[in-house]
Amino acid sequence: MERTGRPRPVRAAPTPRANPVVRTCVGCRSRDDRSALLRVVAVASDAGDTLVLTPDPHHRLPGRGAWLHPVAACLDRAVRRRAFSRALHTGTGVDHAVLARWVESHEQQLR
């Protein structure tokens, strides 16, 4: 392919977003900074018959994640609305007992 001698157009650098790490809580549906929310993933149980909601505070577990304020009110609202099944695309119910224990212990540490 021959060059025509014309200079290539210079592309402008992408403009930084105002706040690129904003996520939505599946419980209260409010937007907040990623650092204020807990990432939750669905992991197969040991028996393999159910999915268990697992807290991922370090944002390292593989798979689709849902974001939640680590407070009992948001967890209760998300469970009542079945928001985790929709957000994680599981199609079936999920066990939230492990997540409930983690949120409870997190709230006690903050007191």
Side-chain angles (χ1 to χ4, degrees), residues 37-41 54-57 59-67:
L37 297 170
L38 171 67
R39 183 172 184 260
V40 178
V41 295
T54 306
D56 182 18
H59 311 159
R60 299 281 189 267
L61 293 176
R64 179 178 289 274
W67 298 85

Side-chain angles (χ1 to χ4, degrees), residues 22-33 37 65-69 71 73-89:
V22 173
R23 301 287 187 258
T24 302
C25 174
V26 294
C28 64
R29 302 294 298 158
S30 66
R31 294 171 55 92
D32 206 344
D33 189 40
L37 297 170
W67 298 85
L68 176 78
H69 284 112
V71 294
C74 285
L75 175 62
D76 293 340
R77 192 175 296 162
V79 169
R80 191 173 55 243
R81 294 180 332 136
R82 293 187 285 271
F84 288 111
S85 295
R86 274 194 307 277
L88 299 173
H89 297 233

Side-chain angles (χ1 to χ4, degrees), residues 4-29:
T4 59
R6 291 186 296 174
R8 287 185 157 178
V10 178
R11 293 186 181 179
T15 57
R17 294 181 183 175
N19 198 354
V21 289
V22 173
R23 301 287 187 258
T24 302
C25 174
V26 294
C28 64
R29 302 294 298 158

